[in-house]
Amino acid sequence: MKPNHKGQAQIFQNPVLERLTRTHIALPISIFIVIAIGLIYYGITYSFINVLEAIGFFLLGWLIFSLIEYCAHRFVFHMETDTPMKERIQYTFHGNHHEYPKDKERLAMPPIVSLFIASFFFFVFKLIFGQFVFGVVAGLLFGYALYLFVHYAVHAYAPPKNFLKQLWIHHSIHHYKDPNVAYGVSSPLWDYILGTMPKRTNAK
């Protein structure tokens, strides 16, 4: 699919559904940062976790998110499109972004969808981590907010002249050279671990 740097895809014919696929990036980032802070505050205030536990499980949640980000991007957003249904799903969730990578209104899932998924993860991790869920999900949501910020920045702004430039290069390789590598956006950690780092990232 050849990237188009002007315009945006039309995903739904229904104007209401079509509008719901677009969001200003500041909205979800703000929502999930506030919720993450609220979870930490609630957990500490009501003695579900202490400060050290909050820090430790926050970092664990952040790490877990980085793996979720990688797996979702690699195995869901880049699923095999061997049926018309899969092709439609893949394009709706991610293919349109590869076709129109500069469309700033579709660099994040609609907040209502993200909130539903976040609620699902809260209940799943509550079963796994018990009272420590407040730290874990706070880290998870912070990781998601950071991912949204990085993803927006690499598409909307020129790369900085420091070590962060590697994030721009990494994601550009995924979009413009090989969509089967460089799945990590906020971090290349799991690309290193799972063998999907680009063979060459010659920065100029």
Side-chain angles (χ1 to χ4, degrees):
M1 183 180 296
K2 186 177 179 180
N4 187 340
H5 288 166
K6 294 182 179 180
Q8 57 185 194
Q10 181 172 350
I11 296 176
F12 296 108
Q13 294 297 325
N14 184 292
V16 175
L17 290 177
E18 178 70 7
R19 185 66 189 90
L20 288 174
T21 66
R22 303 172 189 164
T23 184
H24 191 285
I25 197 68
L27 181 59
I29 289 176
S30 301
I31 288 172
F32 291 109
I33 288 290
V34 169
I35 294 175
I37 293 170
L39 287 170
I40 290 289
Y41 176 81
Y42 186 89
I44 293 174
T45 300
Y46 290 91
S47 301
F48 290 105
I49 51 176
N50 60 41
V51 173
L52 286 178
E53 290 169 342
I55 293 171
F57 282 97
F58 177 91
L59 293 175
L60 176 61
W62 189 356
L63 179 64
I64 290 171
F65 172 78
S66 70
L67 179 58
I68 292 172
E69 173 199 322
Y70 175 90
C71 290
H73 193 182
R74 180 176 180 179
F75 300 113
V76 179
F77 296 160
H78 284 272
M79 69 173 71
E80 289 293 329
T81 54
D82 51 359
T83 68
M85 176 67 76
K86 286 184 178 180
E87 185 175 359
R88 176 62 180 167
I89 291 171
Q90 194 276 337
Y91 185 81
T92 298
F93 278 97
H94 194 64
N96 71 87
H97 171 57
H98 273 262
E99 186 174 10
Y100 296 93
K102 297 297 184 181
D103 181 359
K104 297 179 183 179
E105 292 187 322
R106 288 205 176 107
L107 293 176
M109 285 190 293
I112 190 169
V113 176
S114 300
L115 285 169
F116 176 80
I117 294 173
S119 299
F120 169 78
F121 277 122
F122 183 88
F123 288 109
V124 170
F125 288 131
K126 178 70 166 62
L127 294 174
I128 299 171
F129 294 101
Q131 65 194 47
F132 302 119
V133 68
F134 294 98
V136 173
V137 175
L140 191 86
L141 297 183
F142 174 79
Y144 180 56
L146 181 64
Y147 155 79
L148 292 177
F149 176 78
V150 171
H151 194 211
Y152 183 84
V154 299
H155 282 286
Y157 300 107
K161 296 179 180 180
N162 55 41
F163 70 97
L164 292 174
K165 181 180 179 180
Q166 291 305 313
L167 293 176
W168 270 252
I169 295 171
H170 194 71
H171 198 54
S172 292
I173 289 171
H174 175 75
H175 268 277
Y176 300 109
K177 289 187 177 180
D178 187 352
N180 297 310
V181 298
Y183 294 105
V185 177
S186 61
S187 166
L189 172 65
W190 296 102
D191 285 305
Y192 278 111
I193 294 172
L194 298 176
T196 51
M197 279 295 291
K199 287 186 172 62
R200 299 179 66 182
T201 57
N202 294 328
K204 295 183 179 181

